[in-house]
Amino acid sequence: MKGKFPQDFMWGGATAANQVEGAYDQDGKGLSIVDAIPGGKDRLKIVSSPEFDFTLDPANHTYPNHKGIDHYHRFQEDIALFAEMGFKCYRFSIAWTRIYPNGVEQEPEEAGLKHYDQVIDACIAHGIEPVITISHYEMPLHLATAFGGWKNRELIGHFERFARTVLTRYGHKVKYWMTFNEINSAAHFPIMSQGLTVKTGALEAQAKFQAWHNQFVASSLAVKIAHETNAQIQIGCMILFATNYAYDCNPVNQLETLKETQAFNFYCADVQAGGKYPYYAKSLWQSQGVELDIQPGDLELIKQHTVDYIGFSYYMSSTINKTNPDAVTAQGNLLGGARNPFLEASDWGWEIDPVGLRIALNQLYDRYEKPLFIVENGLGAVDKPDENHYIADDYRINYLRQHIEAMAEAIEDGVELMGYTPWGCIDLVSMSTGEMSKRYGLIYVDLDDKISGTGNRYRKKSFHWYQKVIATNGEDI
Ligand code: BG6
């Protein structure tokens, strides 16, 4: 692995406010959508039911995000551990509801702003570059319940105010930003990024595509504000990328794979990075009966304020099958599809595919020719600590090592890769299941699915391994 990674390569780790902070009702914070989503393996099923309307039901459900890993109070200790690993950057998100509790207030909460001042300053004191996601699956609950989520155009103004507040407050010391986390994930779970329930349009293409349009306009406004605030800022989009394979060489499956890749992997980034709706958008809308409300000025904004880099998450590939009714489905793979017989899967059924990452990097760079930033990747696994709280997580090391090798190969292919922030660098609450036991961390947090335990932090074997990877700039993996 000699000399593959550029000298300024941004090695780090990633979290999101709602999955680590806890303190869900402290210092003026309002409720976010995730605060009203129960934990448990069937979490995404519960929110997809026609009855679900964010009513809190503590008698029958647990809400693990309320406590998280208490990063809100323990961020100094956590960031010191990241520094010990040698992190060059730390990706985290700002909880919108700490700044605007219901999303609609005209004045921000100073306590919330102060908190992120401290988080940013702690990073900088350790020589860690903050990388901030403005909105990571944690929109104010009020914007979902009273406005019906992102399909409502009024959210653009509320988001713009939030983005302006944080970009002007922190934009002189934070250089790297992203607008919406996994903006395209709404194709599969629209509740998280668009705040849509079945009652408010989660199953309607019209609602999803309108929500995306409103988010594209909002994202362009954030890019505009960022660049006006500080010309040094680099602000990216953030998409969930799953390399698609056709199940076989049947042209029908190949065509379906092409269509799925456009509709899922590229649609949002084509607009945010390319500055316009792609050629296939019209037929995509027509085939689903979508008629977009595009207001005067929207397309100009989108054109003028494109993102500087492509941030993306990569966990798995997906195998597209239209013609083989007997193909086994990939149980558990977040994005569904057929079971790929060439791949192993995680304990949660996510198919592990480092070669797919090299393909993803090449496909994205080929299309956009903008720097790429892998802002999430990792293995959710069950960790069993020994009596000294030590976890020999060789399975996680193997996963990360294979993906880092794929990154090095892609760099040799000519891809421009800025950095790598493995997901959940410290154990946190899972997005899709609300579990603590689905652990990604290099740092173990002693909490169970009910968020009971000491909350103490322990270095896993992967902590020491990643420390060495960073120290040698990816040469000794
Ligand atoms: C991404 C999200 O989809 O994957 C994160 O941006 C999430 O919020 C991560 O936690 C891993 O997913 P999960 O469901 O295993 O937590």
Side-chain angles (χ1 to χ4, degrees):
M1 302 290 291
K2 259 217 151 340
K4 302 272 164 50
F5 290 92
Q7 276 316 309
D8 56 354
F9 192 76
M10 292 168 69
W11 298 99
T15 66
N18 77 85
Q19 294 171 260
V20 290
E21 284 182 357
Y24 81 111
D25 58 356
Q26 288 181 28
D27 297 335
K29 182 182 172 299
L31 284 182
S32 77
I33 50 169
V34 189
D35 293 328
I37 295 180
K41 281 200 194 303
D42 51 357
R43 168 182 251 195
L44 289 182
K45 212 160 128 202
I46 292 176
V47 299
S48 315
S49 77
E51 299 80 41
F52 185 78
D53 62 1
F54 294 110
T55 304
L56 279 148
D57 180 12
N60 293 304
H61 292 297
T62 53
Y63 294 88
N65 303 70
H66 289 188
K67 289 188 182 163
I69 59 163
D70 201 24
H71 188 62
Y72 185 72
H73 296 109
R74 301 181 73 156
F75 68 89
Q76 295 282 6
E77 174 187 355
D78 295 340
I79 292 171
L81 283 165
F82 300 157
E84 191 182 321
M85 257 187 284
F87 277 22
K88 311 281 183 214
C89 70
Y90 171 39
R91 173 184 177 228
F92 58 93
S93 68
I94 294 180
W96 188 343
T97 48
R98 289 200 189 281
I99 313 301
Y100 291 102
N102 293 300
V104 294
E105 295 82 357
Q106 293 304 310
E107 293 304 321
E109 281 287 331
E110 186 52 29
L113 288 169
K114 276 215 176 91
H115 173 70
Y116 295 105
D117 275 331
Q118 290 167 8
V119 174
I120 291 165
D121 290 345
C123 289
I124 293 171
H126 283 289
I128 294 175
E129 190 89 55
V131 177
I132 297 184
T133 318
I134 299 177
S135 181
H136 189 132
Y137 292 167
E138 52 219 342
M139 64 190 281
L141 180 58
H142 181 69
L143 296 182
T145 51
F147 291 75
W150 269 101
K151 71 174 191 294
N152 187 330
R153 206 181 155 91
E154 282 187 55
L155 263 69
I156 298 174
H158 296 308
F159 177 83
E160 184 186 1
R161 194 168 55 256
F162 167 51
R164 187 181 299 284
T165 302
V166 296
L167 282 161
T168 50
R169 175 93 169 204
Y170 311 123
H172 293 282
K173 43 187 179 182
V174 177
K175 188 174 162 198
Y176 297 96
W177 296 79
M178 270 165 277
T179 55
F180 293 99
N181 181 64
E182 293 188 337
I183 185 167
N184 58 328
S185 68
H188 290 273
F189 32 96
I191 192 160
M192 292 295 184
S193 63
Q194 299 187 333
L196 296 176
T197 60
V198 172
K199 286 185 182 165
T200 59
L203 301 179
E204 295 155 30
Q206 175 65 35
K208 278 193 211 184
F209 277 91
Q210 189 60 53
W212 270 321
H213 178 74
N214 296 340
Q215 290 180 310
F216 296 150
V217 174
S219 177
S220 303
L221 284 165
V223 172
K224 179 173 186 286
I225 297 165
H227 291 154
E228 284 168 359
T229 304
N230 176 359
Q232 300 298 310
I233 288 182
Q234 293 195 37
I235 180 160
C237 58
M238 191 324 199
I239 57 169
L240 190 178
F241 196 97
T243 305
N244 287 323
Y245 305 119
Y247 186 72
D248 57 25
C249 52
N250 184 332
V252 174
N253 288 329
Q254 296 289 337
L255 179 66
E256 189 65 12
T257 304
L258 170 77
K259 296 276 177 200
E260 172 62 17
T261 303
Q262 289 177 332
F264 183 69
N265 282 332
F266 292 135
Y267 177 77
C268 294
D270 279 356
V271 181
Q272 293 179 289
K276 59 181 171 45
Y277 278 106
Y279 77 91
Y280 56 83
K282 262 193 193 136
S283 81
L284 198 61
W285 301 333
Q286 272 162 9
S287 66
Q288 300 182 61
V290 171
E291 283 185 31
L292 281 192
D293 170 20
I294 300 180
Q295 296 280 312
D298 287 0
L299 297 180
E300 285 70 23
L301 266 176
I302 287 171
K303 188 170 179 188
Q304 281 164 16
H305 304 289
T306 52
V307 293
D308 301 310
Y309 65 90
I310 312 292
F312 71 103
S313 63
Y314 178 84
Y315 291 93
M316 70 198 94
S317 50
S318 180
T319 303
I320 312 293
N321 172 41
K322 209 178 172 184
T323 60
N324 303 278
D326 298 331
V328 182
T329 52
Q331 294 293 342
N333 224 29
L334 196 61
L335 309 174
R339 174 91 187 83
N340 186 331
F342 299 99
L343 301 176
E344 308 227 308
S346 76
D347 294 344
W348 275 260
W350 294 19
E351 287 179 344
I352 301 168
D353 183 10
V355 177
L357 176 58
R358 182 175 175 185
I359 296 170
L361 286 160
N362 276 276
Q363 287 183 338
L364 283 165
Y365 197 61
D366 184 30
R367 197 171 184 98
Y368 303 117
E369 290 194 338
K370 293 201 181 207
L372 306 178
F373 196 166
I374 302 169
V375 294
E376 287 188 33
N377 170 244
L379 179 71
V382 177
D383 287 334
K384 296 203 177 77
D386 68 14
E387 61 285 3
N388 299 317
H389 307 283
Y390 185 69
I391 290 132
D393 53 344
D394 293 283
Y395 38 91
R396 185 168 293 107
I397 293 172
N398 285 340
Y399 178 102
L400 295 172
R401 178 186 290 125
Q402 288 173 0
H403 286 79
I404 292 172
E405 274 167 359
M407 282 155 44
E409 284 159 358
I411 290 172
E412 281 208 316
D413 293 335
V415 165
E416 192 181 347
L417 183 60
M418 295 161 61
Y420 180 59
T421 57
W423 177 247
C425 44
I426 182 164
D427 290 347
L428 43 66
V429 179
S430 150
M431 179 277 291
S432 60
T433 65
E435 295 168 295
M436 273 304 296
S437 45
K438 187 179 189 190
R439 295 173 187 274
Y440 288 85
L442 312 163
I443 299 165
Y444 185 82
V445 178
D446 178 28
L447 291 171
D448 63 17
D449 288 341
K450 296 202 168 102
I451 316 293
S452 312
T454 62
N456 289 345
R457 277 66 166 147
Y458 298 97
R459 296 163 187 80
K460 301 184 193 176
K461 186 173 179 183
S462 54
F463 179 104
H464 304 286
W465 170 81
Y466 194 46
Q467 191 176 45
K468 183 186 68 181
V469 171
I470 298 177
T472 61
N473 198 25
E475 282 185 34
D476 185 357
I477 62 168

